């Protein structure tokens, strides 16, 4: 029985298995070595023809060769499976590195120009003794209109292009169309004297264009004290305008109408070429508004004002189109 030549064939197959590149070649080698038509299988089937004295020994040697060949095939399969696994892990690996090496230096961001304007406004007014108040962005008709002396039949309601919220009675709940409702909320909660500013987001059903945004920012001011006059209002506006725009900039009041103030005015700021630019509205708080908040108009008076923060930033930076503020183009924003 030529068992030794089998052993030599198995050793050769072992070498081929160790360098087999894929499962198909392993299967081919296995077929050659152990398959139904292999020399090993053929030899086994002919063991019966041998001398009884030789049979046992030949059988043992053939089995040893077979065991060795099977182990080599299994080892080759395991080697290929392991390398397939590590290839998959490498492909699925997540790169959690936060920072690329020097090729892309980090750029530091900064506050949005409208936020910067809001912060500066707060600083100017806090410097004048005011505190900062806030109110909700979703309001009821009472705070947004009624308490501000705008009853439901009042034509001024139409001019606000209010965005209503589908909640409760029709036209009862809305996105606030101005920051004036914060006046009411503050007077509800605090006793005079009151000096507050209230910056915040406001909303109107306006199509965005170069000078309008449907969601924009206003700042409201309210001062309630004894013996407050229109002169205090004019002086406060003048002081704020100079602190914000520079000492050379002047302000003026023009008669106007708002339901929540009497008398009412609009205020303008001067431009280097001598022209005037409208900034916002203001006036002496209407006695009805004070009464709606349980404040006696015989004892307390006050003034209020309100204007758009986005528009202020547009003026300050001489920007052509207010929509630039919401386009989020870093090339634009990084200029400020
Ligand atoms: N709320 C007004 C608006 O959005 C602006 C305004 C005008 C506010 C006069 C005031 C004021 O406080 O006194 O059009």
């Amino acid at each position: 029985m030529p068992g030794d030549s089998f052993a030599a064939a198995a050793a050769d197959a072992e070498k081929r298995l160790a360098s087999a590149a894929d499962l198909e070649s392993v299967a081919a080698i296995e077929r050659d070595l152990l398959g139904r038509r292999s020399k090993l299988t053929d030899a086994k089937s002919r063991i019966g023809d041998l001398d009884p004295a030789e049979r046992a020994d030949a059988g043992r040697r053939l089995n040893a060769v077979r065991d060795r060949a099977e182990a080599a095939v299994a080892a080759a399969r395991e080697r290929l499976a392991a390398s397939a696994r590590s290839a998959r892990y490498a492909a699925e690996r997540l790169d959690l590195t936060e920072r690329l090496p020097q090729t892309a230096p980090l750029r530091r961001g900064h506050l949005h120009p409208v936020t910067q304007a809001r912060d500066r406004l707060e600083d100017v007014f806090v410097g004048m003794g005011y505190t900062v108040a806030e109110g909700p962005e979703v309001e009821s008709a009472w705070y947004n209109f009624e308490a501000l002396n705008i009853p439901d039949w009042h034509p001024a309601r139409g001019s606000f292009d209010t965005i209503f919220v589908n909640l409760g009675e029709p036209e009862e709940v809305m996105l606030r169309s101005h920051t004036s409702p914060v006046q009411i909320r503050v007077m509800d909660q605090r006793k005079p004297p009151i000096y507050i500013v209230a910056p915040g987001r406001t909303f109107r059903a306006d199509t965005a264009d170069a000078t309008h945004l449907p969601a924009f920012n206003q700042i409201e001011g309210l001062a309630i004290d004894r013996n407050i006059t229109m002169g205090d209002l004019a002086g406060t506006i003048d002081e704020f305008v100079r602190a914000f725009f520079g000492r050379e900039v002047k302000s003026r009041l023009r008669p106007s109408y708002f339901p929540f103030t009497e008398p009412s005015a609009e205020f303008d700021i001067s431009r280097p070429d001598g022209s005037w630019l409208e900034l916002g509205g203001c006036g002496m708080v209407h006695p009805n508004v004070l009464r709606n908040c349980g404040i006696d108009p015989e004892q307390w008076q006050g003034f209020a004002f309100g204007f758009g923060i986005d528009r202020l930033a547009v003026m300050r930076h001489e920007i052509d189109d207010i929509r630039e503020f919401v386009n989020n183009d870093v090339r634009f924003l990084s200029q400020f």
Side-chain angles (χ1 to χ4, degrees), residues 117-129:
R118 175 185 162 149
D119 286 356
R120 280 202 60 208
L121 285 169
E122 288 183 8
D123 285 351
V124 166
F125 283 107
V126 166
M128 292 164 75

Side-chain angles (χ1 to χ4, degrees), residues 160 177-178 180 183 204 218 220-221 258 260-261 281-283 304-306:
F160 280 101
S177 44
H178 49 176
S180 300
Q183 290 186 33
R204 289 187 199 180
Q218 284 191 337
E220 193 79 13
F258 298 100
F260 29 92
T261 43
C282 60
F305 57 85

Side-chain angles (χ1 to χ4, degrees), residues 69-327:
E70 281 175 352
V73 168
R77 288 219 166 90
E78 177 48 38
R79 176 176 59 78
L80 288 172
S83 77
R85 257 197 315 276
S86 47
R88 210 184 75 219
Y89 292 159
E92 290 178 357
R93 179 168 177 268
L94 294 180
D95 183 359
L96 300 177
T97 314
E98 270 191 47
R99 228 195 119 165
L100 294 174
Q102 282 319 307
T103 53
L106 276 188
R107 276 204 296 156
R108 188 189 278 262
H110 62 66
L111 293 177
H112 191 281
V114 172
T115 308
Q116 291 179 35
R118 175 185 162 149
D119 286 356
R120 280 202 60 208
L121 285 169
E122 288 183 8
D123 285 351
V124 166
F125 283 107
V126 166
M128 292 164 75
Y130 287 67
T131 56
V132 178
E134 283 190 331
E137 290 177 359
V138 178
E139 270 296 8
S140 67
W142 169 257
Y143 286 105
N144 199 66
F145 292 131
E146 204 83 28
L148 287 163
N149 205 31
I150 317 174
D152 57 5
W153 49 263
H154 200 289
R157 282 222 184 176
S159 68
F160 280 101
D161 296 316
T162 310
I163 299 174
F164 292 99
V165 175
N166 191 6
L167 214 101
E169 296 291 307
E171 307 203 346
E172 251 316 302
V173 181
M174 61 214 64
L175 301 182
R176 67 178 175 193
S177 44
H178 49 176
T179 43
S180 300
V182 186
Q183 290 186 33
I184 308 299
R185 292 187 173 272
V186 169
M187 286 191 280
D188 274 356
Q189 278 163 20
R190 298 190 209 166
K191 290 203 166 8
I194 293 169
Y195 291 87
I196 60 104
V197 284
R201 291 214 298 168
T202 46
F203 308 86
R204 289 187 199 180
D206 258 340
T207 306
D209 63 25
T211 54
H212 295 87
L213 291 172
F216 53 107
N217 295 274
Q218 284 191 337
I219 184 164
E220 193 79 13
L222 176 72
I224 307 284
D225 210 331
R226 294 186 202 275
N227 305 316
I228 293 238
T229 68
M230 199 89 182
D232 298 312
L233 168 60
T236 302
I237 295 215
D238 212 50
E239 184 52 36
F240 136 70
V241 164
R242 284 164 192 269
F244 192 84
F245 289 98
R247 288 283 136 196
E248 66 287 355
V249 180
K250 290 196 274 293
S251 72
R252 72 171 183 190
L253 301 188
R254 254 181 314 108
S256 184
Y257 172 77
F258 298 100
F260 29 92
T261 43
E262 180 57 38
S264 301
E266 270 163 326
F267 59 97
D268 304 335
I269 59 169
S270 66
R271 304 232 285 182
D273 67 358
S275 64
W276 295 92
L277 213 80
E278 183 188 324
L279 197 58
C282 60
M284 302 305 291
V285 178
H286 197 291
N288 287 350
V289 174
L290 294 173
R291 263 184 232 111
N292 284 337
C293 302
I295 294 177
D296 179 1
E298 300 299 325
Q299 289 198 45
W300 302 98
Q301 301 79 40
F303 62 76
F305 57 85
F307 54 90
I309 300 177
D310 317 71
R311 287 204 175 163
L312 194 80
V314 159
M315 284 180 212
R316 200 180 140 79
H317 300 299
E318 295 178 17
I319 291 161
D320 299 331
D321 192 324
I322 201 167
R323 287 171 292 192
E324 294 282 13
F325 282 151
V326 290
N327 284 342

Side-chain angles (χ1 to χ4, degrees), residues 1 6 30-48 62-63 65-66 70:
M1 181 78 204
F6 284 126
E30 182 183 32
R31 229 179 298 119
D32 270 4
L33 211 53
L34 299 160
R36 284 205 293 137
R37 296 200 193 143
S38 67
K39 288 187 187 130
L40 201 62
T41 306
D42 181 53
K44 251 197 129 167
S45 69
R46 286 190 283 105
I47 270 186
L62 282 180
N63 282 344
V65 169
R66 195 200 55 212
E70 281 175 352

